[in-house]
Amino acid sequence: MTLFPDAWYLLLSSRLVPDLDGGYTISTLARARQMTDAGVPALLLTVDPATAEAHAAHRAEFIARGAAVASEDFRNLFDEAQSPDGGAAEWLRAAARAGGADPSVPYDTYAGGAVALPRIENDPDWLLTTAPVVIRDAAGDVAGVLDGFGALYRAWLAHVVAGLRDRVDRPVVVICESRQLGELIVDWDDPDVRILHTVHTIHLESPYTVDAPINGLWERWLAVAPRFDAVLWPTSSQRCDVRERFGEDRVDVVAPHGVPMPAEVAPAEDGPVVVLGRLAAGKRLDHAIRAFARVVADVPHARMELWGAGAERERLVALIADLGLDAAVTLAGLTLDVGAVLDSASVYLTTSAFEGQGLALAEALAHGVPVVAYDIRYGPRDMLAGGGGILVPDGDEEALAEALTRVLGDAALRRRLAAEARAAAEALSPERAMRALAAASADALSRPTRR
């Protein structure tokens, strides 16, 4: 019997595109898959205005990779915005009011011309506009308008929910995965809908200390967060930091992103140091490479593999060449078999400046790979509290090299850390993640909505 209350469950994301948005996409799809395994299939809802053909290709790729079960698990606003006659769908026309386009704003058409969206240029807050969204009929004439993206998104969600209730009348739990979408649906006034809002990343700007400046998107989101029926934080550290700084007027729940436990394999005895993630500035892979130059001086046979793609690739290639590490450090590109990479590794290394939870680190622990990590917000300290790796002072490349050299040179230490890593990963198992999500859902449904 499922742990979850009897309800419709919807996972709302801005977009879901293969190999885009890093751990966000992976963890959102994983949550949906784990809910299905727990007996409560969830619909994956997206609002990106790509074509129906592009969405179908994305879904097929996710299914081929085993990241999703079936294409019927996905729905997209713009796939459903056009009626068979070519105009806007009935639900969209019914939600619109009389009006026309804003003549001062350029527009782009989508859904076969059924919807025209205002193009707000050079404004990071473009999603908050109330410039009219134009709804057109089959002849291309204006059938009405909606007041901005928020009204459009809420109209579609109301349509989706109405269809589900026609099948079985039960409450609805929306698990919102995107802060920008959360801001736009917090005014949705359906009393039988509960909104649980997940968190995927850090709320702080550089230098990412507890009292560092707040990211601008987070400032707006934190202002409306008390109206969500629960906020799901991936680590207890981030939850505590936010409550200490911003008060306790939210329903704050620790609900990590679940990571499956693979079958145990013997730790690699002579494998590489592995790094997994985007080749992005925030990952500070230059730290990893410079530290590894020190390692190779003491452990000449040591190798390091950097798996991922991104804007920093050329700069990292140059750094590897400048340090004479071409034979020791490999930029291995993207992989679709993370498990095989981790099973070949002797050590997992992370040098990120910040994380939300640290999905790749969690996967390394699940595969029994000893970890060396900078002590950053958020993730490593929480996950390594019971062992499984070595925390290094943030930014200390010399200490990073010393920790890597120590682990690579001590087989007994590697075996101990590998056993601790598997034990640490149990706290992040899908079963525990689903229990936390089910409990948050039950609590939210037991009381009136906070909206």
Side-chain angles (χ1 to χ4, degrees), residues 53 63 190:
E53 292 75 17
I63 292 165
D190 189 319

Side-chain angles (χ1 to χ4, degrees), residues 313-325:
R313 183 178 178 87
E314 287 188 13
R315 190 170 77 88
L316 298 175
V317 167
L319 179 60
I320 290 167
D322 287 346
L323 295 176
L325 294 175

Side-chain angles (χ1 to χ4, degrees), residues 269-272 292 295-304 327-328 408-409 414:
E269 286 300 319
D270 195 27
F292 203 69
V295 173
V296 170
D298 293 324
V299 188
H301 66 278
R303 295 173 294 118
M304 183 166 69
L408 288 171
R414 286 200 306 278

Side-chain angles (χ1 to χ4, degrees), residues 202 204-214 245 284 352-354 375-377 394:
I202 192 170
L204 302 165
E205 295 280 15
S206 179
Y208 312 110
T209 54
V210 67
D211 56 352
I214 303 300
R245 185 166 178 178
R284 295 191 297 191
S352 292
F354 60 89
D375 188 4
I376 59 162
R377 285 175 167 82
D394 185 20

